[in-house]
Amino acid sequence: MLLKEYRICMPLTVEEYRIGQLYMISKHSHEQSDRGEGVEVVQNEPFDDPAHGQGQFTEKRVYLNSKLPSWARAVVPNIFYVTEKAWNYYPYTITEYTCSFLPKFSIHIETKYEDNKGSNDNIFSESENKDQEREVCFVDIAYDEIPERYYKESEDLRYFKSEKTSRGMLQEGWRDTQEPIMCSYKLVTVKFEVWGLQTRVEQFVHKVVRDVLLLGHRQAFAWVDEWIDMNLDDVREYEKSMHEQTNVKVCHEQQEHSTNSPSLDDIEIHDKVST
């Protein structure tokens, strides 16, 4: 098990990001589905929890095959997806990722949002993993290097300025002077309990998680002028529309891929040869 705490600040308030987060996730999922790999929404409905109150439960299939390293692609089928289950009790959320093909693999993300610049060292004091040793990683949405394939000039926050909020362009050290400012605190646990591969896989997954967090939070602010005037009903309607369009794109592509995917016998033979 490898545990890290990520802290990602944004020039927004927690209340604003409630809308921005939903907008960003829906639009990002739709964009990532252009090549048949992306996010298929299986379930999205209100959910009541005795401890956390009213929230929203979502279940998705995240298709990732092209994003895997070559050594991982060699042992998974062409149609490869991770199941995401999320419980959103904003400003507190829980997200879990599992894969039936890799039963000893899981990711657990506990998230809390606060209006500060990442200064709360005790925010997870009630977490089950509160006593576990972990590395704290600050992620700078403007100045941390982003993978080249994700870079867009329009989303470069060093040069972007919001017309509707007049926030940006973010200068070096912006977190010390920016108002308003909020922080996404994410406690991420990665498990891959397979001898000989555990360290390599868990480190790789954390790198992917960090890149995804960096990209998502960059986009949330870069798209602020698109969602800042929305209310919760508006963004839920947008979310529903994007989910429907994304599901059509992903499902169509996966049906085409399924004709070329290996059978279970093929996978078993490949596994034996690989080992």
Side-chain angles (χ1 to χ4, degrees):
M1 180 180 80
L2 185 57
L3 181 69
K4 293 188 179 184
E5 179 185 326
Y6 297 93
R7 300 182 187 180
I8 312 107
C9 291
M10 289 183 293
L12 301 168
T13 67
V14 170
E15 188 59 32
E16 287 172 338
Y17 189 56
R18 183 177 191 179
I19 306 299
Q21 177 201 42
L22 295 174
Y23 183 91
M24 175 271 293
I25 291 172
S26 298
K27 181 175 177 177
H28 175 85
S29 297
H30 187 70
E31 287 189 347
Q32 291 298 304
S33 302
D34 283 339
R35 293 187 300 276
E37 292 202 352
V39 180
E40 176 189 358
V41 181
V42 179
Q43 191 175 352
N44 184 23
E45 59 189 31
F47 183 84
D48 287 324
D49 182 89
H52 303 296
Q54 187 175 6
Q56 192 84 2
F57 170 76
T58 58
E59 180 177 345
K60 303 175 183 178
R61 291 178 178 177
V62 185
Y63 294 90
L64 293 170
N65 192 274
S66 71
K67 296 177 177 61
L68 297 173
S70 57
W71 56 266
R73 288 199 298 270
V75 294
V76 301
N78 286 345
I79 299 181
F80 172 74
Y81 66 85
V82 171
T83 297
E84 174 194 290
K85 294 183 178 181
W87 295 262
N88 188 343
Y89 311 104
Y90 198 87
Y92 173 67
T93 67
I94 301 169
T95 311
E96 295 178 350
Y97 296 89
T98 56
C99 178
S100 59
F101 189 77
L102 301 169
K104 295 188 177 182
F105 166 78
S106 67
I107 305 173
H108 181 275
I109 303 177
E110 189 175 353
T111 305
K112 292 188 176 183
Y113 305 100
E114 285 190 348
D115 286 313
N116 58 49
K117 55 185 180 181
S119 53
N120 189 347
D121 293 329
N122 299 308
I123 194 166
F124 293 111
S125 60
E126 298 179 2
S127 170
E128 292 182 4
N129 293 321
K130 63 180 180 179
D131 296 325
Q132 295 283 340
E133 182 179 349
R134 62 181 180 271
E135 177 185 357
V136 175
C137 306
F138 283 87
V139 178
D140 189 327
I141 60 173
Y143 288 90
D144 281 2
E145 185 175 355
I146 192 166
E148 185 177 352
R149 66 183 181 276
Y150 294 144
Y151 178 82
K152 291 182 180 179
E153 186 176 354
S154 62
E155 297 170 4
D156 192 328
L157 304 184
R158 296 171 299 175
Y159 311 115
F160 167 79
K161 183 168 184 176
S162 165
E163 294 182 1
K164 293 184 177 180
T165 69
S166 298
R167 300 174 202 167
M169 303 173 284
L170 300 181
Q171 304 298 313
E172 288 272 15
W174 66 272
R175 288 177 294 183
D176 295 327
T177 58
Q178 173 65 38
E179 289 290 343
I181 191 166
M182 62 157 289
C183 184
S184 297
Y185 294 83
K186 292 183 175 286
L187 190 62
V188 182
T189 305
V190 177
K191 291 182 181 179
F192 188 68
E193 297 172 342
V194 176
W195 187 86
L197 288 174
Q198 181 171 4
T199 299
R200 184 180 188 182
V201 170
E202 290 178 351
Q203 289 177 343
F204 169 77
V205 171
H206 264 289
K207 182 182 183 303
V208 172
V209 167
R210 189 186 182 285
D211 286 346
V212 169
L213 293 177
L214 174 58
L215 176 62
H217 288 76
R218 279 169 65 100
Q219 290 178 330
F221 182 55
W223 298 338
V224 64
D225 288 344
E226 300 174 27
W227 58 259
I228 195 66
D229 294 326
M230 288 183 171
N231 59 33
L232 193 56
D233 289 338
D234 293 334
V235 79
R236 286 296 184 195
E237 187 61 32
Y238 175 83
E239 182 183 51
K240 180 181 178 182
S241 174
M242 285 294 99
H243 287 173
E244 291 172 353
Q245 294 179 44
T246 301
N247 281 2
V248 169
K249 292 167 67 177
V250 173
C251 292
H252 175 72
E253 190 72 18
Q254 294 308 318
Q255 286 174 359
E256 291 186 353
H257 283 182
S258 66
T259 59
N260 298 319
S261 62
S263 67
L264 290 176
D265 290 340
D266 294 333
I267 296 170
E268 184 177 341
I269 292 170
H270 194 301
D271 186 55
K272 290 178 180 178
V273 171
S274 300
T275 55

